[in-house]
Amino acid sequence: MRAEEFSYTTRQEAEHRRFAYWNDAVLRHCIPSESSYDPSHTFDGELCVQEMGLLDLCRVKATRHSWTRKANHLRASDDNDIWLGFFHNGRGYLEQNERRTTLTCQQLVIYDAAQKFKFDIEGENHLIRIPRHLLSRHLPNISHCAGLHLHDHIPGIPTMRCLLNEIIKQPQITSSLLVHFSTTLIDLLVMALSASTLETGTRHQELHNKMRLYIIKNLADPDLNVDYVAEKFHVSSRTVTRIFARHNETPAAVIWQERLEASFQALSRGKTRSVSQTAMDFGFSDFSHFSHAFRKRYGMTPQSLLKSDN
């Protein structure tokens, strides 16, 4: 038995009506969002939606256009499915979760309907809707994978591409066989995302260690802050904050604590003869604030520690 299928084409519509018709069809079966295209070009689009077990396979062939999912769409819709984009013979560009990915023929990307995104798409592509629970029961932090470009070095991705190409080449596949295909696809995706998450976790741990070391070596710089660290490591400030949050820390708190600890060590070991000079040496510009924070942390003033050492 063939799986249920819905097809739409803009060919029967007048040119000025085509994109509106397309927008209605796409939003009915995909993700509610704001869409646009270049009106100086004639728009053409074909959409075929086919059930694939518990998944939906959307075959999209269209003139270049954009989808933008904003905060108002998230509030108005409870759609939180995960989507897998397969750029069969098309192209695209995705911005989500601080990731920016340019996609070309035969490449794969994962995106999340529960988060804002900007998605440009052109040519022949396949978008697969995956109910969130099918992935979240294996990957509780599936939201962290949003916007991830699934490169070939990730285990399972080359096999997944072969599977998808096989499905695309055989449009007359029975619904029972599509169920087996969908189960295999989910297993491969879970394996790939698990491997990618592990890789990302290791990379973040390495970055965290390097960032902390950089902070310790640059305590004297009064401009040292989260933006400064982000620029040094060529990442966004939000990424720095997220990396430290994995360790229940904030960058600002780490900088502050390391400055206090370095000041304490310098005073207690007699490496300085002046409290004001110690404060300046470790990036404090407000001496009264420094003294107050020092006393709160160590139960004594920096002056009393300096005198006791002498």
Side-chain angles (χ1 to χ4, degrees), residues 160-190:
M160 187 189 303
R161 182 185 296 105
C162 291
L163 178 68
L164 288 169
N165 278 315
E166 194 65 30
I167 295 170
I168 292 164
K169 284 192 301 185
Q170 301 183 36
Q172 304 302 317
I173 299 176
T174 63
S175 58
S176 59
L177 188 54
L178 282 172
V179 170
H180 292 301
F181 269 125
S182 67
T183 302
T184 303
L185 183 66
I186 291 295
D187 290 341
L188 287 169
L189 188 55
V190 167

Side-chain angles (χ1 to χ4, degrees), residues 216-234:
I216 291 169
K217 288 183 176 180
N218 291 273
L219 295 175
D221 189 341
D223 294 325
L224 182 64
N225 58 27
V226 62
D227 295 329
Y228 201 92
V229 175
E231 183 178 353
K232 170 66 180 176
F233 287 90
H234 308 293

Side-chain angles (χ1 to χ4, degrees), residues 3-248:
E4 188 173 6
E5 189 173 297
F6 303 92
S7 296
Y8 304 87
T9 179
T10 60
R11 290 175 188 166
Q12 78 277 12
E13 298 294 321
E15 284 192 13
H16 72 280
R17 278 278 310 150
R18 287 184 178 182
F19 193 68
Y21 171 82
W22 174 258
N23 194 45
D24 290 343
V26 168
L27 296 189
R28 189 178 305 129
H29 292 284
C30 298
I31 307 173
S33 57
E34 183 179 291
S35 56
S36 62
Y37 81 108
D38 182 352
S40 66
H41 295 84
T42 299
F43 184 86
D44 284 305
E46 297 176 16
L47 171 66
C48 177
V49 183
Q50 182 178 22
E51 288 186 354
M52 193 170 75
L54 295 175
L55 317 182
D56 286 335
L57 174 63
C58 300
R59 305 169 192 259
V60 179
K61 188 175 181 180
T63 305
R64 182 181 179 87
H65 61 291
S66 299
W67 297 330
T68 304
R69 187 156 167 83
K70 300 180 178 180
N72 60 298
H73 299 116
L74 300 180
R75 290 192 296 268
S77 167
D78 59 359
D79 187 342
N80 69 346
D81 290 332
I82 302 296
W83 287 76
L84 176 67
F86 177 45
F87 291 75
H88 184 227
N89 287 315
R91 292 175 293 180
Y93 174 78
L94 176 68
E95 290 183 13
Q96 189 175 51
N97 196 27
E98 292 197 337
R99 294 185 172 108
R100 295 170 176 80
T101 306
T102 299
L103 299 142
T104 56
C105 182
Q106 293 291 300
Q107 293 187 327
L108 291 149
V109 70
I110 189 164
Y111 57 107
D112 185 356
Q115 299 183 49
K116 294 183 289 185
F117 64 72
K118 184 180 186 299
F119 198 2
D120 294 350
I121 193 168
E122 176 182 10
E124 184 181 351
N125 304 290
H126 294 75
L127 310 176
I128 302 164
R129 180 199 292 271
I130 305 170
R132 196 180 196 89
H133 72 273
L134 296 180
L135 295 175
S136 62
R137 65 189 181 191
H138 302 287
L139 301 160
N141 294 323
I142 184 62
S143 60
H144 295 170
C145 299
L148 184 65
H149 185 184
L150 301 174
H151 294 280
D152 277 359
H153 72 270
I154 302 174
I157 295 304
T159 306
M160 187 189 303
R161 182 185 296 105
C162 291
L163 178 68
L164 288 169
N165 278 315
E166 194 65 30
I167 295 170
I168 292 164
K169 284 192 301 185
Q170 301 183 36
Q172 304 302 317
I173 299 176
T174 63
S175 58
S176 59
L177 188 54
L178 282 172
V179 170
H180 292 301
F181 269 125
S182 67
T183 302
T184 303
L185 183 66
I186 291 295
D187 290 341
L188 287 169
L189 188 55
V190 167
M191 179 177 68
L193 294 179
S194 297
S196 178
T197 301
L198 180 61
E199 179 184 287
T200 301
T202 301
R203 187 166 65 250
H204 280 187
Q205 181 62 57
E206 292 173 354
L207 266 176
H208 178 259
N209 294 341
K210 290 178 181 179
M211 287 174 180
R212 284 200 66 118
L213 183 61
Y214 178 78
I215 287 170
I216 291 169
K217 288 183 176 180
N218 291 273
L219 295 175
D221 189 341
D223 294 325
L224 182 64
N225 58 27
V226 62
D227 295 329
Y228 201 92
V229 175
E231 183 178 353
K232 170 66 180 176
F233 287 90
H234 308 293
V235 297
S236 68
S237 298
R238 184 179 173 186
T239 296
V240 175
T241 300
R242 190 164 57 229
I243 288 172
F244 277 80
R246 288 171 175 261
H247 300 267
N248 297 315

